[in-house]
Amino acid sequence: SNNERTFIAVKPDGVQRGLIPEILTRFQNKGYKLVGIKLTLANETLLKQHYADLTSKPFFPKLLSYMMSGPILATVWEGKDAVKQGRVLLGATNPNASAPGTIRGDYAVEVGRNIVHGSDSVENAEKEIALWFKKEELVDYKPTMYGWIYE
Ligand code: DAT
Ligand code: MG
């Protein structure tokens, strides 16, 4: 379907480094539609749900303080295969394994400062979107460019 949704977040380091415009531009230029966006602060309760599969990892306390170190830009993008292709745009979790041309490959060097988050499955995307956004914060509309992106 052309309306799969994914949750993409610019993490505190990406925000502080002025990379919001660059990251939004990459998703926009690819052809995805922005349906939700807000600058927000994460708390421990939210992050423990967001990273539920990682709470027992040794790096989790550092991950928590990193993610609470400043504002996060939470976004939702919609489009064909948006979850999987969104991960392709991000690059590998460890920036040193990310190819040049990906966001992490181009702008990050350490796994603990990898500047962006992207949902890893459609199921997790739905969970994350519901966790970070209220229903009424997501906006549906038909972009004028739609017919130039989809046949
Ligand atoms: P991703 O963000 O690519 O989905 P993940 O869900 O496995 O990766 O991990 C979430 C975040 O946790 C990741 O973006 C950075 C941090 N992280 C993962 N593995 C790590 C490790 N081995 N050491 C330190 N931080 C790690
Ligand atoms: Mg993940």
Side-chain angles (χ1 to χ4, degrees), residues 85-95 97-99 101-105 114 116:
Q85 295 308 319
R87 295 281 295 190
V88 174
L89 292 184
L90 298 198
T93 302
N94 188 331
S98 305
T102 66
I103 294 166
R104 287 165 172 168
N114 63 2
V116 272

Side-chain angles (χ1 to χ4, degrees), residues 28-95:
Q28 182 126 312
N29 286 353
K30 170 76 176 169
Y32 295 133
K33 175 172 77 168
L34 184 65
V35 296
I37 184 164
K38 66 177 173 189
L39 194 67
T40 185
L41 290 165
N43 61 37
E44 197 167 324
T45 310
L46 182 145
L47 290 168
K48 280 184 171 163
Q49 294 177 76
H50 176 78
Y51 284 132
D53 54 330
L54 301 176
T55 51
S56 62
K57 298 278 185 192
F59 59 80
F60 190 72
K62 278 170 72 181
L63 179 59
L64 259 188
S65 55
Y66 162 51
M67 291 295 286
M68 295 192 297
S69 65
I72 290 173
L73 188 79
T75 67
V76 178
W77 294 87
E78 184 180 295
K80 188 174 189 171
D81 206 18
V83 172
K84 192 169 148 220
Q85 295 308 319
R87 295 281 295 190
V88 174
L89 292 184
L90 298 198
T93 302
N94 188 331

